[in-house]
């Protein structure tokens, strides 16, 4: 029961972090001035044309949350528990991958 509530909270926290402006991008504009943008990991993935990672994270989080809610409402089948645990682990791995990819991606301005 504690793991099901924790998995819901963790997936909500992942999306909160993915929507926070934690990266700063700087670029020299043609006029010579330096422009600065504060961006979230989701925005950086969209700029780098890797938005499929966000969609994969959304699917994994949705599966995790749905199975957690089913488990909370009393569906006590072993397959639901396995799917929930696997989806939480996969969602965590995908979150780590997204954070690594966004930290190494740089937008190009031409």
């Amino acid at each position: 029961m504690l793991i099901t509530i924790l998995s819901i909270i963790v997936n909500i926290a992942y999306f909160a972090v993915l929507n926070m402006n934690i990266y700063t991008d700087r670029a020299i504009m043609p006029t010579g001035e330096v422009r600065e943008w504060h961006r979230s990991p989701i925005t950086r993935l969209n700029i780098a044309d890797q938005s499929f990672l966000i969609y994969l994270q959304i699917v994994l989080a949705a599966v995790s949350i749905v199975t957690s809610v089913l488990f909370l409402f009393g569906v006590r089948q072993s397959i639901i528990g396995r799917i929930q645990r696997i989806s939480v682990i996969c969602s965590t791995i995908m979150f780590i991958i997204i954070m690594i990819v966004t930290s190494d991606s740089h937008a190009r301005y031409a």
Side-chain angles (χ1 to χ4, degrees):
M1 174 102 148
L2 181 64
I3 293 175
T4 59
I5 295 170
L6 188 63
S7 68
I8 293 171
I9 293 170
V10 164
N11 280 306
I12 291 171
Y14 289 161
F15 279 107
V17 170
L18 290 175
N19 284 311
M20 290 176 18
N21 292 330
I22 57 176
Y23 296 112
T24 302
D25 291 337
R26 291 182 187 91
I28 298 175
M29 304 308 283
T31 60
E33 68 179 284
V34 176
R35 181 142 183 223
E36 188 174 283
W37 294 272
H38 297 285
R39 295 204 167 110
S40 67
I42 291 176
T43 307
R44 285 189 88 171
L45 283 177
N46 286 332
I47 289 172
D49 199 30
Q50 295 176 338
S51 58
F52 69 93
L53 293 173
I54 290 296
Y55 296 129
L56 188 56
Q57 174 69 26
I58 290 170
V59 168
L60 291 170
V63 169
S64 174
I65 290 172
V66 167
T67 54
S68 295
V69 169
L70 285 173
F71 204 72
L72 284 175
F73 283 136
V75 179
R76 301 274 184 206
Q77 295 180 356
S78 64
I79 191 73
I80 299 292
R82 285 187 196 133
I83 292 173
Q84 180 214 6
R85 280 180 255 137
I86 291 170
S87 63
V88 168
I89 292 168
C90 290
S91 179
T92 302
I93 291 170
M94 185 53 58
F95 175 75
I96 293 168
I97 289 171
I98 287 172
M99 295 307 286
I100 290 170
V101 167
T102 56
S103 69
D104 288 336
S105 68
H106 300 285
R108 296 182 189 238
Y109 302 97

